[in-house]
Structures are given as C-alpha cells and as structure tokens.
Amino acid sequence: MDLTVKIAGLTFKNPVLLASGTWGFGEKLKNYLDLSSLGGLVTKGISLKPREGNPPPRIAETPCGLINAIGLENPGVEIFKKHVLPPILAWKTHVLVNIFGETIDEFLAVAEALKDEPISGLELNVSCPNVAKGGLAFGHDPATVKALVEELRKTYPGFLVVKLPPVGPVLEVARTVLEAGADALTVANTYPALAVDLTNRRLALGRGTGGLSGPAIKPLTLKLVYDLYRELKAPIFGCGGITSGRDVLEYIFCGAKAVQVGTATLLDPENPGKILAEIEQELEKLGETRLENLFAGLFKSKH
Amino acid sequence: MNLFTVKENRKLSQRYHLLILEGELENPLPGQFVMVRAWPGFDPLLARPFSIHDHEPDKLSLLFEVKGRGTKLLAALEPGAKVEVLGPLGQGFPEVNSGEVILVAGGIGIAPFFWTAKKLKEKGLQINLFYGARTKNDFLRLKEFEDLGISLNLSTEDGSLGFKGFVTEPLKGYLHEPGEKIIFACGPMPMLSAVAKVAKDLGVRAYVSLEAHMACGLGMCLGCVVKRQERGYLHVCSEGPVVPAERVF
C-alpha cells in the first residue's frame, strides 16, 4: 500500500500528522504510539517568550465537540529549542514547528531563532481564537497576513504552512498567503465558540470564549477544504474532527493532500495509530493500492 | 485504552455509585487516577477521570457521584458491560514509611482514600481519617473504613453525625498533639485551601488531591489547570492530581 504524499518538495510517509497542541511534546504519547510511524508532527504553538496560557476552566465539552481556550501556553522558543525540540527531532518523521507572535516582528524573531534547527518546516498560527493579540486578528486580515508571509519569506526559505481560521475571509486570506510565498495551508483551526455555565450564571470558560474541535466540526471543515481546493488547487492539510481512516480519505477526496489529527488523540492516545491502520483497510475496500489515486477525486469525477 | 468488564455496579444511595471492574491495571499507586469511557460514539466526547477507590489484582473499584451525562451513563451500566480504561495516570500520594498519616476527606473526596488507607495500613502506619459531609446520609463506605481498623473523625455541616461544622475544626485540634504527621487531603477547593492553611500554620506537611475538568488525562492538551502559588498554572493530570499543598495554596 502506497500512502506517501508529496507536498512542495517534502515527502511524507503517510498522510497522518498530529495537529498542534494536541499531543503535548510526545512525552506521554510515545507510550501509546510509535511517533515515527506518523507522517509528521506539528508542535504546540511556540512564541518568543514563555506564555502562561488562560485561566481555568480551559475546556468545555459539547455534543461530539470540545471547546478549548488554552491560550497558547508554551515555554517560549529558547527553552523549546534547548530542551523540548531535541527529543522530538529524534522521531523519524517530519517535524513542523507551529509558531505564534502577537506582532509580525515576534513571528520573525521566533522563525529566526529556529533557523538553524533541523526541522522540516514552520506552520504559522494566524488563527488561534483564544488570544487577544495575534491569532485571529492576523488571520482575519489579508493585508496583515500578506505582510507577515512576505517578511518571513525574505529570511526563511524552508517549508512554510499557514494554519487558517475557519471563519472570516478565509478564501481571500488563503489566496494572499499563497501569493506571498506559503507552500501549503492547514485548513483549519478551531471554530470560535462558547459554552454557558448556567448553574453559576457565567461563561463556562475562564477566558469567556474558545475554539470548537472534534467530530462536530468535521462536515464544516470538510466543506472548507473542498471550497479552497476548488478555488486554489493548493496543497492543503485537512484538519477538523478526524477520528477514523474513513474521515482521512474523505478529506483527501475533497482535495486535502494530508491531514492533521487532533482531538481524536485526546480521546484515546492510540487513535492516531488506529486511524493510520484504518486508512489501509479503507483503501483496500475501495480497491485502491495508492492513496494518491483518491486525491481530489471529487474534482475528477462528474461533480 | 484497555477493556475492563463491569463486575458489579452498586448504588450506594441516590447520588453515589460503587463501580467494580474486572481488568488489569498496571502497577497503580494510591492517589493515581484512570480515564474511563463506557459508551459508544462521540457523545459524550471525552473519557472521564476517576481516582482509584480500591484495587486488587484484576479488580478496580471506582466511587463516584452521579453529576453529569458521563456519570449518569456509568451509573446505568449492567454487570458484563465493557468499559474502556486508560491508566493508571498522574502522580499519587508520596510514599510514607514512618509517623502518622492523616487523611482529610470532604464529600466525594473520600474516593481515593479507601485503597490509600489499605496500603498504608499494610505498612503498619497509624492512620487517622477526618471525614466531613453535608449530613449523616452523605457518608460513603463508613463500615468499610471502620473495618480497616483506622481512627475515624466524622463531621457534618448540619451536625447530624459527629462534629457539627467543617472537618478542619477537629483537624486543627488534633494537629496540636505532638508526633510526626503528614496530611493527605481530597475534597472541594475551599476545604483543601482551609486544610493547607491549618497545616502551614502548624508546620505539618500536606498533600492535596486536585480535581479539574480533563480532556486527555496525559498532559497533552493543557486543559486541566489550577492556579499555581508562584505564577502560572499547574497541570492537574500530569503534575497531579496529588501535589504538595503549598504549590497551590
């Protein structure tokens, strides 16, 4: 079974990557899953300085969904480089570092700090719904993201993915970042959402609002992938509510090159491995031996 | 996750259940917890965290209050039903080899102390349980605790059994007595805070078992935090649930 995927000069051994912020730094997950067996690892969002994250409660459950407002808690790029990244790089797979800044200069400084690390690429987080500055403020503004990617491209020639928000002028932002030199898109981050704690008469999350993930959002993000691929024909990492091998194939059929699994890993640390195994089984059922044959199938058929 | 089988699901009262599962838990420690899922599909989405109430080879007991959708589903499980269990997880109570261990429980916070007391008892340590509840009907597993042969100090908010008032009052009096002591506490945050203060004032080491909404139980999502005393947040599932009291209070 050939599961390899090529995106902008990188070859992924299979289409399953772990999404940012859903697997710690692998310290515990490695007991349940061979991280080297995955197509790639996208790290937790890393900022220039350490960030404490948001006050609790940080999570709220909804039907088939999870709302989080973690707030990009991370140790900052220097500690990340020194202590966190080396063991992650020991896994024999692609490592993409998700980076975050409140300003363009901060993004550039994080990228600069990482420029000599043997990572496979960067994923720009311009879509976190849980921070006051940066995040969505960038991802909703085509002009700002354009400036960000253009500036970054002056000094960073490596593999560059932009993680988009699922709401706002998504198509315009996507087109802009590709024109500015991004190699691929991650579609998409969580959906702005809120939950109410009626018993205590307040919002359920400490920060107020959060981002919705999990099976509840799969059909929404699937459509987003379909729409963006149809318009842009760009390499896409599909990311939203994937819990099975079948989900992965649906995303690929809609135009995603590869996927990122997130919430499913939180439900059961063995899920990414199960999803990977299911991809082969599902392909077999479909009479396919190459994943590539399903890619963007919706656009090749009568549809 | 590993598959366990429901051996018995005992309704202790209107709100409380004792769920006895058959299955193998690898090297658990008192104070650690497990993540449990016992329904198909994704609604509820997340597994639920429970401390280990009792453990024998091939047997795991959970004591829980029926509070939300997850616990309601667990309460309805019939013998023979399959349950997915992840664990043991997190940091348990520290090892103690001498002196006296004072267990302080508030409400359902009694849950981790049955097995903890059993293990400490095996070591021949002296154990004193301070157990507070709303009314005399809210005490759980009292007979089993009595059978362990440990000292019991009960208190109720309405005075229907034992001391009338919060559990910290009789605790304070007792801590004045001489002797090497260590406190393990589990219960609502205000109780833990009060226990931490009493312990600090009297120079007794205290550990608290924390509770939080959890998603993964493995320190991956950073969802289950409580404010740390110095700065930032403490991750309950990976740094806890048991932490030295001064880290939080």
Side-chain angles (χ1 to χ4, degrees), chain A residues 55-61 67 194-198 201-209, chain B residues 213:
Chain A
R58 289 181 174 183
I59 54 171
E61 193 184 46
I67 307 180
L194 72 76
V196 171
D197 173 359
L198 208 49
R201 302 191 186 209
R202 61 183 184 209
L203 290 166
L205 297 174
R207 185 178 182 272
T209 62
Chain B
H213 284 293

PDB file of all heavy atoms in Angstrom, chain A residues 55-61 67 194-198 201-209, chain B residues 213:
ATOM      1  N   PRO A  55      -6.659  31.488  32.183  1.00  0.00           N
ATOM      2  CA  PRO A  55      -7.140  30.955  33.471  1.00  0.00           C
ATOM      3  C   PRO A  55      -8.156  29.833  33.251  1.00  0.00           C
ATOM      4  O   PRO A  55      -8.816  29.799  32.209  1.00  0.00           O
ATOM      5  CB  PRO A  55      -7.798  32.165  34.129  1.00  0.00           C
ATOM      6  CG  PRO A  55      -8.135  33.087  33.010  1.00  0.00           C
ATOM      7  CD  PRO A  55      -7.100  32.868  31.960  1.00  0.00           C
ATOM      8  N   PRO A  56      -8.285  28.920  34.223  1.00  0.00           N
ATOM      9  CA  PRO A  56      -9.272  27.857  34.098  1.00  0.00           C
ATOM     10  C   PRO A  56     -10.683  28.385  34.339  1.00  0.00           C
ATOM     11  O   PRO A  56     -10.817  29.460  34.920  1.00  0.00           O
ATOM     12  CB  PRO A  56      -8.865  26.881  35.205  1.00  0.00           C
ATOM     13  CG  PRO A  56      -8.153  27.705  36.221  1.00  0.00           C
ATOM     14  CD  PRO A  56      -7.505  28.839  35.462  1.00  0.00           C
ATOM     15  N   PRO A  57     -11.719  27.658  33.965  1.00  0.00           N
ATOM     16  CA  PRO A  57     -11.672  26.431  33.168  1.00  0.00           C
ATOM     17  C   PRO A  57     -11.227  26.700  31.724  1.00  0.00           C
ATOM     18  O   PRO A  57     -11.612  27.706  31.149  1.00  0.00           O
ATOM     19  CB  PRO A  57     -13.120  25.932  33.185  1.00  0.00           C
ATOM     20  CG  PRO A  57     -13.819  26.667  34.289  1.00  0.00           C
ATOM     21  CD  PRO A  57     -13.084  27.966  34.428  1.00  0.00           C
ATOM     22  N   ARG A  58     -10.426  25.777  31.201  1.00  0.00           N
ATOM     23  CA  ARG A  58      -9.915  25.951  29.843  1.00  0.00           C
ATOM     24  C   ARG A  58     -10.639  25.081  28.824  1.00  0.00           C
ATOM     25  O   ARG A  58     -10.412  25.230  27.625  1.00  0.00           O
ATOM     26  CB  ARG A  58      -8.425  25.597  29.802  1.00  0.00           C
ATOM     27  CG  ARG A  58      -7.524  26.596  30.493  1.00  0.00           C
ATOM     28  CD  ARG A  58      -6.075  26.155  30.357  1.00  0.00           C
ATOM     29  NE  ARG A  58      -5.161  27.155  30.874  1.00  0.00           N
ATOM     30  CZ  ARG A  58      -3.839  27.030  30.827  1.00  0.00           C
ATOM     31  NH1 ARG A  58      -3.308  25.932  30.288  1.00  0.00           N
ATOM     32  NH2 ARG A  58      -3.064  27.959  31.299  1.00  0.00           N
ATOM     33  N   ILE A  59     -11.428  24.138  29.289  1.00  0.00           N
ATOM     34  CA  ILE A  59     -12.130  23.271  28.342  1.00  0.00           C
ATOM     35  C   ILE A  59     -13.603  23.115  28.737  1.00  0.00           C
ATOM     36  O   ILE A  59     -13.954  23.211  29.914  1.00  0.00           O
ATOM     37  CB  ILE A  59     -11.490  21.867  28.237  1.00  0.00           C
ATOM     38  CG1 ILE A  59     -11.367  21.222  29.613  1.00  0.00           C
ATOM     39  CG2 ILE A  59     -10.156  21.925  27.540  1.00  0.00           C
ATOM     40  CD1 ILE A  59     -10.940  19.773  29.584  1.00  0.00           C
ATOM     41  N   ALA A  60     -14.428  22.891  27.731  1.00  0.00           N
ATOM     42  CA  ALA A  60     -15.844  22.588  27.959  1.00  0.00           C
ATOM     43  C   ALA A  60     -16.270  21.602  26.882  1.00  0.00           C
ATOM     44  O   ALA A  60     -15.901  21.738  25.719  1.00  0.00           O
ATOM     45  CB  ALA A  60     -16.684  23.862  27.873  1.00  0.00           C
ATOM     46  N   GLU A  61     -17.036  20.592  27.310  1.00  0.00           N
ATOM     47  CA  GLU A  61     -17.477  19.575  26.368  1.00  0.00           C
ATOM     48  C   GLU A  61     -18.830  19.956  25.783  1.00  0.00           C
ATOM     49  O   GLU A  61     -19.678  20.498  26.488  1.00  0.00           O
ATOM     50  CB  GLU A  61     -17.585  18.248  27.123  1.00  0.00           C
ATOM     51  CG  GLU A  61     -17.738  17.045  26.250  1.00  0.00           C
ATOM     52  CD  GLU A  61     -17.938  15.786  27.084  1.00  0.00           C
ATOM     53  OE1 GLU A  61     -18.759  15.828  28.025  1.00  0.00           O
ATOM     54  OE2 GLU A  61     -17.284  14.785  26.798  1.00  0.00           O
ATOM     55  N   ILE A  67     -14.701  22.454  23.353  1.00  0.00           N
ATOM     56  CA  ILE A  67     -14.315  23.865  23.229  1.00  0.00           C
ATOM     57  C   ILE A  67     -13.107  24.087  24.130  1.00  0.00           C
ATOM     58  O   ILE A  67     -13.127  23.702  25.300  1.00  0.00           O
ATOM     59  CB  ILE A  67     -15.442  24.820  23.665  1.00  0.00           C
ATOM     60  CG1 ILE A  67     -16.742  24.481  22.920  1.00  0.00           C
ATOM     61  CG2 ILE A  67     -15.052  26.268  23.408  1.00  0.00           C
ATOM     62  CD1 ILE A  67     -17.903  25.392  23.302  1.00  0.00           C
ATOM     63  N   LEU A 194     -18.687  29.275  22.203  1.00  0.00           N
ATOM     64  CA  LEU A 194     -18.764  29.483  23.652  1.00  0.00           C
ATOM     65  C   LEU A 194     -19.704  28.489  24.303  1.00  0.00           C
ATOM     66  O   LEU A 194     -20.547  27.882  23.645  1.00  0.00           O
ATOM     67  CB  LEU A 194     -19.122  30.934  24.009  1.00  0.00           C
ATOM     68  CG  LEU A 194     -20.501  31.537  23.803  1.00  0.00           C
ATOM     69  CD1 LEU A 194     -21.485  31.053  24.871  1.00  0.00           C
ATOM     70  CD2 LEU A 194     -20.396  33.053  23.910  1.00  0.00           C
ATOM     71  N   ALA A 195     -19.524  28.317  25.581  1.00  0.00           N
ATOM     72  CA  ALA A 195     -20.390  27.453  26.372  1.00  0.00           C
ATOM     73  C   ALA A 195     -20.789  28.223  27.620  1.00  0.00           C
ATOM     74  O   ALA A 195     -20.033  29.066  28.111  1.00  0.00           O
ATOM     75  CB  ALA A 195     -19.649  26.177  26.754  1.00  0.00           C
ATOM     76  N   VAL A 196     -21.992  27.940  28.102  1.00  0.00           N
ATOM     77  CA  VAL A 196     -22.532  28.657  29.257  1.00  0.00           C
ATOM     78  C   VAL A 196     -22.601  27.732  30.463  1.00  0.00           C
ATOM     79  O   VAL A 196     -22.956  26.565  30.349  1.00  0.00           O
ATOM     80  CB  VAL A 196     -23.945  29.201  28.932  1.00  0.00           C
ATOM     81  CG1 VAL A 196     -24.619  29.754  30.167  1.00  0.00           C
ATOM     82  CG2 VAL A 196     -23.853  30.265  27.840  1.00  0.00           C
ATOM     83  N   ASP A 197     -22.211  28.247  31.602  1.00  0.00           N
ATOM     84  CA  ASP A 197     -22.356  27.525  32.866  1.00  0.00           C
ATOM     85  C   ASP A 197     -23.551  28.153  33.575  1.00  0.00           C
ATOM     86  O   ASP A 197     -23.406  29.131  34.303  1.00  0.00           O
ATOM     87  CB  ASP A 197     -21.068  27.688  33.685  1.00  0.00           C
ATOM     88  CG  ASP A 197     -21.195  27.107  35.084  1.00  0.00           C
ATOM     89  OD1 ASP A 197     -22.282  26.586  35.428  1.00  0.00           O
ATOM     90  OD2 ASP A 197     -20.208  27.185  35.834  1.00  0.00           O
ATOM     91  N   LEU A 198     -24.725  27.586  33.305  1.00  0.00           N
ATOM     92  CA  LEU A 198     -25.959  28.187  33.805  1.00  0.00           C
ATOM     93  C   LEU A 198     -26.049  28.124  35.329  1.00  0.00           C
ATOM     94  O   LEU A 198     -26.530  29.053  35.973  1.00  0.00           O
ATOM     95  CB  LEU A 198     -27.160  27.467  33.170  1.00  0.00           C
ATOM     96  CG  LEU A 198     -28.441  28.272  32.996  1.00  0.00           C
ATOM     97  CD1 LEU A 198     -28.200  29.626  32.341  1.00  0.00           C
ATOM     98  CD2 LEU A 198     -29.452  27.476  32.182  1.00  0.00           C
ATOM     99  N   ARG A 201     -24.191  30.840  36.466  1.00  0.00           N
ATOM    100  CA  ARG A 201     -24.562  32.051  35.739  1.00  0.00           C
ATOM    101  C   ARG A 201     -23.368  32.806  35.183  1.00  0.00           C
ATOM    102  O   ARG A 201     -23.157  33.994  35.474  1.00  0.00           O
ATOM    103  CB  ARG A 201     -25.413  32.963  36.631  1.00  0.00           C
ATOM    104  CG  ARG A 201     -26.649  32.249  37.110  1.00  0.00           C
ATOM    105  CD  ARG A 201     -27.625  33.182  37.750  1.00  0.00           C
ATOM    106  NE  ARG A 201     -28.738  32.410  38.313  1.00  0.00           N
ATOM    107  CZ  ARG A 201     -29.964  32.875  38.446  1.00  0.00           C
ATOM    108  NH1 ARG A 201     -30.252  34.092  38.092  1.00  0.00           N
ATOM    109  NH2 ARG A 201     -30.907  32.115  38.960  1.00  0.00           N
ATOM    110  N   ARG A 202     -22.558  32.072  34.393  1.00  0.00           N
ATOM    111  CA  ARG A 202     -21.417  32.726  33.760  1.00  0.00           C
ATOM    112  C   ARG A 202     -21.015  31.912  32.527  1.00  0.00           C
ATOM    113  O   ARG A 202     -21.591  30.849  32.275  1.00  0.00           O
ATOM    114  CB  ARG A 202     -20.241  32.814  34.738  1.00  0.00           C
ATOM    115  CG  ARG A 202     -19.773  31.453  35.178  1.00  0.00           C
ATOM    116  CD  ARG A 202     -18.643  31.535  36.205  1.00  0.00           C
ATOM    117  NE  ARG A 202     -18.192  30.179  36.507  1.00  0.00           N
ATOM    118  CZ  ARG A 202     -17.675  29.799  37.656  1.00  0.00           C
ATOM    119  NH1 ARG A 202     -17.532  30.663  38.631  1.00  0.00           N
ATOM    120  NH2 ARG A 202     -17.291  28.561  37.843  1.00  0.00           N
ATOM    121  N   LEU A 203     -20.034  32.403  31.807  1.00  0.00           N
ATOM    122  CA  LEU A 203     -19.500  31.631  30.688  1.00  0.00           C
ATOM    123  C   LEU A 203     -18.698  30.458  31.251  1.00  0.00           C
ATOM    124  O   LEU A 203     -18.065  30.583  32.308  1.00  0.00           O
ATOM    125  CB  LEU A 203     -18.610  32.513  29.811  1.00  0.00           C
ATOM    126  CG  LEU A 203     -19.385  33.580  29.016  1.00  0.00           C
ATOM    127  CD1 LEU A 203     -18.440  34.613  28.438  1.00  0.00           C
ATOM    128  CD2 LEU A 203     -20.190  32.913  27.899  1.00  0.00           C
ATOM    129  N   ALA A 204     -18.747  29.338  30.544  1.00  0.00           N
ATOM    130  CA  ALA A 204     -18.118  28.131  31.093  1.00  0.00           C
ATOM    131  C   ALA A 204     -16.597  28.193  31.075  1.00  0.00           C
ATOM    132  O   ALA A 204     -15.946  27.540  31.877  1.00  0.00           O
ATOM    133  CB  ALA A 204     -18.602  26.903  30.329  1.00  0.00           C
ATOM    134  N   LEU A 205     -16.025  28.956  30.161  1.00  0.00           N
ATOM    135  CA  LEU A 205     -14.572  29.016  30.070  1.00  0.00           C
ATOM    136  C   LEU A 205     -14.027  30.256  30.771  1.00  0.00           C
ATOM    137  O   LEU A 205     -14.652  31.323  30.717  1.00  0.00           O
ATOM    138  CB  LEU A 205     -14.121  29.033  28.606  1.00  0.00           C
ATOM    139  CG  LEU A 205     -14.472  27.782  27.800  1.00  0.00           C
ATOM    140  CD1 LEU A 205     -14.097  27.980  26.334  1.00  0.00           C
ATOM    141  CD2 LEU A 205     -13.755  26.560  28.366  1.00  0.00           C
ATOM    142  N   GLY A 206     -12.868  30.100  31.382  1.00  0.00           N
ATOM    143  CA  GLY A 206     -12.259  31.205  32.110  1.00  0.00           C
ATOM    144  C   GLY A 206     -12.039  32.422  31.231  1.00  0.00           C
ATOM    145  O   GLY A 206     -12.189  33.561  31.668  1.00  0.00           O
ATOM    146  N   ARG A 207     -11.664  32.189  29.978  1.00  0.00           N
ATOM    147  CA  ARG A 207     -11.409  33.309  29.079  1.00  0.00           C
ATOM    148  C   ARG A 207     -12.698  33.881  28.490  1.00  0.00           C
ATOM    149  O   ARG A 207     -12.700  34.957  27.923  1.00  0.00           O
ATOM    150  CB  ARG A 207     -10.490  32.865  27.948  1.00  0.00           C
ATOM    151  CG  ARG A 207     -10.113  34.029  27.058  1.00  0.00           C
ATOM    152  CD  ARG A 207      -9.166  33.655  25.957  1.00  0.00           C
ATOM    153  NE  ARG A 207      -8.837  34.859  25.216  1.00  0.00           N
ATOM    154  CZ  ARG A 207      -9.545  35.307  24.182  1.00  0.00           C
ATOM    155  NH1 ARG A 207     -10.582  34.644  23.758  1.00  0.00           N
ATOM    156  NH2 ARG A 207      -9.197  36.423  23.572  1.00  0.00           N
ATOM    157  N   GLY A 208     -13.775  33.099  28.604  1.00  0.00           N
ATOM    158  CA  GLY A 208     -15.033  33.553  28.013  1.00  0.00           C
ATOM    159  C   GLY A 208     -15.382  32.705  26.819  1.00  0.00           C
ATOM    160  O   GLY A 208     -16.201  31.801  26.912  1.00  0.00           O
ATOM    161  N   THR A 209     -14.723  32.957  25.691  1.00  0.00           N
ATOM    162  CA  THR A 209     -14.986  32.148  24.504  1.00  0.00           C
ATOM    163  C   THR A 209     -13.803  31.238  24.215  1.00  0.00           C
ATOM    164  O   THR A 209     -12.738  31.359  24.810  1.00  0.00           O
ATOM    165  CB  THR A 209     -15.245  33.037  23.272  1.00  0.00           C
ATOM    166  OG1 THR A 209     -14.063  33.796  23.027  1.00  0.00           O
ATOM    167  CG2 THR A 209     -16.412  33.966  23.514  1.00  0.00           C
TER     168      THR A 209
ATOM    169  N   HIS B 213     -11.770  19.627  35.270  1.00  0.00           N
ATOM    170  CA  HIS B 213     -12.293  19.052  34.031  1.00  0.00           C
ATOM    171  C   HIS B 213     -11.093  18.634  33.196  1.00  0.00           C
ATOM    172  O   HIS B 213     -10.149  19.401  33.037  1.00  0.00           O
ATOM    173  CB  HIS B 213     -13.103  20.094  33.259  1.00  0.00           C
ATOM    174  CG  HIS B 213     -14.451  20.322  33.860  1.00  0.00           C
ATOM    175  ND1 HIS B 213     -15.420  19.356  33.856  1.00  0.00           N
ATOM    176  CD2 HIS B 213     -14.974  21.386  34.482  1.00  0.00           C
ATOM    177  CE1 HIS B 213     -16.497  19.824  34.453  1.00  0.00           C
ATOM    178  NE2 HIS B 213     -16.251  21.060  34.862  1.00  0.00           N
TER     179      HIS B 213
END
